[in-house]
Amino acid sequence: LSPIVELNVGGEMYTTTLSTLKKHPGSKLAEMFTGQPKLRTDSEGRFFIDRPGTHFKYILEYLRSNQVPTQCIQDVYKEALFYDIEPLIKQLEDSPQIFGELVARKQFLARVPNYSENIELMIRIARAEAVASRHSSVIVCVVRTDEDAARCQDALNSLDMDKKSVVKFGPWKAAPSISDLLDCIQMDVETKGYKISFQPHVAEKGFRFKSHDFFYKFLFTWW
């Protein structure tokens, strides 16, 4: 191979050296250019990598100067994982953005039973109710303790509605509050491309408990 390498990364063109690409021998990027290159070439003979090209410049900058990027941290982290550049992965995981997501938020949500499944259930219910509608709503029951879970079930039994359409989150053993969990739910649903908001659910007359103790209405806006 020539010591100068031309790359086409997702349509973005880069020129660098072979030694830069092989700087971390255990990485997937180094393996691509070890021995016989394991990559296709484009019409101009440049090695083609089918990844987002915009963020590859930050990967290249790190390989050249050990400079850890301060922009597009989440996206660069995904690329660092793909190319398996371990030193960059570790340094990015120490950044506030990645640390907060992986260590703080993800560890909290791992303690909320069936969190991911409940997010998907909310979306399925909302989509089922979206026929010829601008909005559809999903009732969510959020309980932090086992005692609240029992009280919530008692309250749920007095609801004049299909109980299968109420999505229940909790209980959990961690510091974050109910409002923190509600923010997480909104964040993760919006990450999937939906426009969503929430408010305390005001139940019908005769409801046995204050409905806003447990119940919230999430509103999906379709157009």
Side-chain angles (χ1 to χ4, degrees):
L1 280 177
S2 166
I4 307 300
V5 180
E6 292 189 344
L7 300 173
N8 177 345
V9 185
E12 298 283 337
M13 310 308 167
Y14 295 93
T15 302
T16 186
T17 64
L18 190 60
S19 59
T20 295
L21 296 172
K22 296 170 67 174
K23 184 173 181 179
H24 297 285
S27 70
K28 183 176 179 180
L29 186 61
E31 289 178 1
M32 289 178 181
F33 295 93
T34 299
Q36 186 68 27
K38 306 166 181 66
L39 294 170
R40 293 171 293 173
T41 56
D42 66 10
S43 60
E44 299 295 324
R46 293 172 291 229
F47 291 110
F48 179 73
I49 302 177
D50 194 13
R51 293 292 296 178
T54 304
H55 304 111
F56 187 74
K57 64 183 178 182
Y58 299 110
I59 300 293
L60 208 52
E61 188 174 343
Y62 175 77
L63 295 174
R64 287 167 172 163
S65 61
N66 290 324
Q67 183 174 337
V68 179
T70 57
Q71 300 176 8
C72 308
I73 298 297
Q74 297 281 357
D75 293 313
V76 177
Y77 180 66
K78 292 177 185 176
E79 297 309 298
L81 289 173
F82 173 78
Y83 294 114
D84 196 19
I85 304 172
E86 192 170 330
L88 177 57
I89 292 170
K90 289 182 177 178
Q91 290 182 71
L92 288 173
E93 286 178 348
D94 283 337
S95 69
Q97 298 95 320
I98 304 297
F99 179 88
E101 176 68 16
L102 295 181
V103 177
R105 200 176 84 91
K106 290 294 187 187
Q107 290 298 315
F108 160 52
L109 295 179
R111 301 185 185 190
V112 180
N114 304 314
Y115 177 81
S116 297
E117 294 85 347
N118 284 338
I119 292 291
E120 295 301 326
L121 178 58
M122 284 180 63
I123 292 171
R124 287 200 302 272
I125 293 172
R127 290 175 70 93
E129 295 183 358
V131 178
S133 300
R134 184 168 189 178
H135 305 282
S136 55
S137 61
V138 179
I139 304 301
V140 167
C141 173
V142 183
V143 291
R144 187 172 178 182
T145 67
D146 291 327
E147 180 184 24
D148 283 345
R151 293 177 64 215
C152 176
Q153 186 58 48
D154 203 5
L156 189 58
N157 290 335
S158 66
L159 270 177
D160 184 21
M161 63 181 300
D162 182 5
K163 298 172 183 59
K164 291 182 180 179
S165 66
V166 178
V167 183
K168 178 175 167 288
F169 288 85
W172 64 87
K173 294 181 180 178
S177 65
I178 285 176
S179 64
D180 294 324
L181 180 64
L182 292 169
D183 287 339
C184 287
I185 294 171
Q186 181 174 14
M187 184 186 308
D188 288 328
V189 173
E190 288 181 339
T191 297
K192 296 178 181 292
Y194 296 91
K195 185 177 180 182
I196 190 174
S197 61
F198 67 87
Q199 62 187 34
H201 175 55
V202 180
E204 305 83 4
K205 226 170 144 186
F207 196 67
R208 295 185 58 183
F209 300 100
K210 288 186 292 184
S211 58
H212 61 260
D213 285 346
F214 307 114
F215 295 95
Y216 298 83
K217 178 186 287 187
F218 278 79
L219 191 69
F220 287 71
T221 300
W222 301 106
W223 49 275

